[in-house]
Amino acid sequence: MKTVGDSKLKEAFIEAHDLRTALSPPLLAALRLVRVEAGEYLVTQSDRLTHLFFLVQGKLQVENYDVNGMHIVFSFETDFSVIGDLELFSQAQRAVFSTVQAVTDALIFTLPIDVIKEQAMHNPVFLAFMCRQLSDKLLNASLLHASGGLTAEYKLRKFLLFKIKQEGVQIQLENRELLAGRLGISVRQLSRALAQLAADGIIQFKNKSLRVVDSQRLADINGSARI
């Protein structure tokens, strides 16, 4: 993690994400822009939370290891995203719940927890901002939980339809273990779903490169929803 000393870039990100409406002048002054390289860890599970993080450019992987050592990927965060908001309001002495790793090179604002405690914990504007961030995460978690009874193929189709909006029909996939964890299915189920879509002439794929050749049929998911 390296400090980026470009004040114009810092101001550009503050404006781009409208942070002046959420953060008071003392909080804005305490923001530090840092660069995290792909593969670098931002925080690891059970660390003490020392900073709140604002992802303003790049992609992060948020994962958790349960007590049995099982690897569970919770989400991939893209800009704009707040890391540490759950821990900020936790009663568990602000222990970090998840491990956060950069998937790509990323630019992140860091904000010391000590400054937040002194300046913002009774500030209604800041608290409303944090509530919106937590609300978005709760909604995403609820949608993920609600999809538990859906088939692997349905989940994969929905994921690919979402990716088309972001990347177009040529899609680069995460490795299969990470993608399966994200979708809440096994790697075997994911491989079968990919093979079925390929056999149906809906996609073409090799390794991590996938091309959607029939987005209309991909979107026809009525018969693939329930187990």
Side-chain angles (χ1 to χ4, degrees):
M1 186 182 300
K2 298 180 180 178
T3 300
V4 177
D6 187 333
S7 59
K8 289 185 178 179
L9 184 61
K10 176 181 176 179
E11 287 299 318
F13 281 126
I14 288 173
E15 293 297 327
H17 298 292
D18 200 22
L19 292 179
R20 293 192 188 281
T21 63
L23 306 182
S24 65
L27 295 184
L28 290 170
L31 285 178
R32 183 166 65 104
L33 185 62
V34 301
R35 183 182 303 278
V36 182
E37 295 181 354
E40 185 177 351
Y41 287 91
L42 189 62
V43 291
T44 56
Q45 192 172 339
S46 299
D47 281 351
R48 291 277 296 161
L49 183 70
T50 59
H51 292 77
L52 200 63
F53 302 97
F54 303 93
L55 175 64
V56 293
Q57 187 178 90
K59 184 177 182 181
L60 302 176
Q61 174 185 301
V62 182
E63 59 186 15
N64 175 271
Y65 294 88
D66 69 9
V67 294
N68 297 318
M70 184 177 178
H71 183 199
I72 303 173
V73 175
F74 277 126
S75 66
F76 289 88
E77 300 292 334
T78 54
D79 54 284
F80 174 77
S81 180
V82 179
I83 305 297
D85 45 358
L86 294 172
E87 291 86 346
L88 182 63
F89 297 103
S90 169
Q91 298 301 312
Q93 298 182 338
R94 296 201 175 96
V96 176
F97 300 145
S98 302
T99 293
V100 182
Q101 184 180 23
V103 177
T104 65
D105 289 350
L107 290 172
I108 295 168
F109 278 132
T110 67
L111 184 59
I113 293 297
D114 289 344
V115 175
I116 295 173
K117 288 169 63 178
E118 292 173 4
Q119 301 288 339
M121 292 306 284
H122 298 288
N123 182 322
V125 176
F126 174 78
L127 294 176
F129 167 73
M130 296 303 296
C131 283
R132 289 194 296 272
Q133 304 303 314
L134 291 167
S135 175
D136 289 343
K137 287 189 176 179
L138 178 60
L139 175 60
N140 290 336
S142 298
L143 292 174
L144 181 62
H145 179 73
S147 70
L150 301 174
T151 66
E153 182 182 331
Y154 178 88
K155 292 179 181 180
L156 178 60
R157 283 175 180 249
K158 294 291 284 185
F159 172 77
L160 293 177
L161 289 168
F162 173 74
K163 293 292 282 186
I164 287 174
K165 294 179 181 178
Q166 291 186 316
E167 302 178 17
V169 296
Q170 191 71 37
I171 298 169
Q172 290 297 117
L173 298 177
E174 299 97 3
N175 72 54
R176 293 197 184 186
E177 287 186 0
L178 295 181
L179 179 55
R182 181 178 186 181
L183 298 178
I185 59 180
S186 69
V187 176
R188 181 176 295 180
Q189 288 174 315
L190 173 60
S191 295
R192 281 203 300 261
L194 285 168
Q196 185 60 58
L197 292 180
D200 290 341
I202 295 172
I203 65 170
Q204 296 172 345
F205 74 95
K206 183 177 181 181
N207 298 326
K208 295 182 181 181
S209 181
L210 182 148
R211 181 176 180 82
V212 176
V213 296
D214 193 334
S215 55
Q216 259 193 323
R217 289 177 62 206
L218 180 68
D220 183 16
I221 56 180
N222 292 332
S224 63
R226 291 288 168 183
I227 296 173

